[in-house]
Amino acid sequence: MTTARRRYGLTWTDPDGAAQASAGIFDKSAAIRRQRALKAAGCTRVKVVKVHQGELPQLIT
């Protein structure tokens, strides 16, 4: 039996209104830590999203 490795990215809106997406891939706990750090920095619409290998999160429109 194999276990599927889950990968997560983040999308958010900067305090100046620019939509952003993470270029790095995180495990669940690291993604949540990064989410908290972004919110503390004043970013809005911060979301942790599942991504597949070789993909990046889609920007918020």
Side-chain angles (χ1 to χ4, degrees), residues 11-33:
T11 59
W12 68 93
T13 303
D14 280 344
D16 64 354
Q20 302 290 328
S22 61
I25 302 301
F26 303 91
D27 62 18
K28 183 72 171 190
S29 60
I32 291 171
R33 284 192 305 270

Side-chain angles (χ1 to χ4, degrees), residues 11-13 17-21 45 47 57-61:
T11 59
W12 68 93
T13 303
Q20 302 290 328
R45 298 177 64 187
K47 294 185 181 180
Q58 296 297 317
L59 287 175
I60 300 170
T61 56

Side-chain angles (χ1 to χ4, degrees), residues 2 5 8 12-14 18 23 25 29-30 34 42 48 51 56 60:
T2 61
R5 179 175 249 179
Y8 299 89
W12 68 93
T13 303
D14 280 344
I25 302 301
S29 60
R34 182 69 176 137
V48 174
V51 293
L56 294 174
I60 300 170

